Amino acid sequence: MSAAALLALARAKGARIATAESCTGGMISAALTDVAGSSDVFDRGFVTYSNAAKQAMLGVSPDTLARVGAVSEEVAREMAEGALARSEATLAVAVTGIAGPGGSEFKPEGRVCFGLAVKGRPTLVETVEFGPRGRAAVRSATVDHALSLLAQALGDLPARG
């Protein structure tokens, strides 16, 4: 779904969106705000590239970061929930991953963890292995997947009454 269509759906549902981004560095927010008139639906974006930023801006636990590392579903969950709690949004998407180049045997290039928090619902988390397709391609695929997650969640929300 295009960013414009996603924003129209959010508008129809009376929903507001927040983002919490690490490996994409604000690209999801940029995709949404590239659409004129998005300010009535897009609330805010948190770019939390460093672990210190994840802790300070989103309330990610230092213990979680120490135990499982930044590229984990646990951190994606805490990022999404932190963005939702620290915004006026109805739903928030979070991404943290290894865009490349590089990675390791345990956290390979192309691994991205997603979190999706929606008010009044359990937070969804998932990991997608995009593979070592290069930094730009991993980041672009991450943006597309994040927009898709937001669209799915918006589709499940009741229409504005």
Side-chain angles (χ1 to χ4, degrees), residues 19-36:
T19 63
E21 302 180 63
S22 187
C23 61
T24 49
M27 292 172 67
I28 301 165
S29 297
L32 294 169
T33 59
D34 276 349
V35 179

Side-chain angles (χ1 to χ4, degrees), residues 20 42 47 52 54 75 95 99 127 154:
F42 182 72
V47 177
K54 289 174 182 65
V75 168
V95 298
T127 299
L154 286 165

Side-chain angles (χ1 to χ4, degrees), residues 2-4 6-7 11 16-19 21 25-47 143 147 150:
S2 72
L6 174 69
L7 291 166
R11 201 170 282 117
R16 292 182 57 84
I17 298 168
T19 63
E21 302 180 63
M27 292 172 67
I28 301 165
S29 297
L32 294 169
T33 59
D34 276 349
V35 179
S38 59
S39 61
D40 66 330
V41 174
F42 182 72
D43 181 57
R44 68 193 74 187
F46 299 89
V47 177
V143 171
L147 295 179
L150 287 167

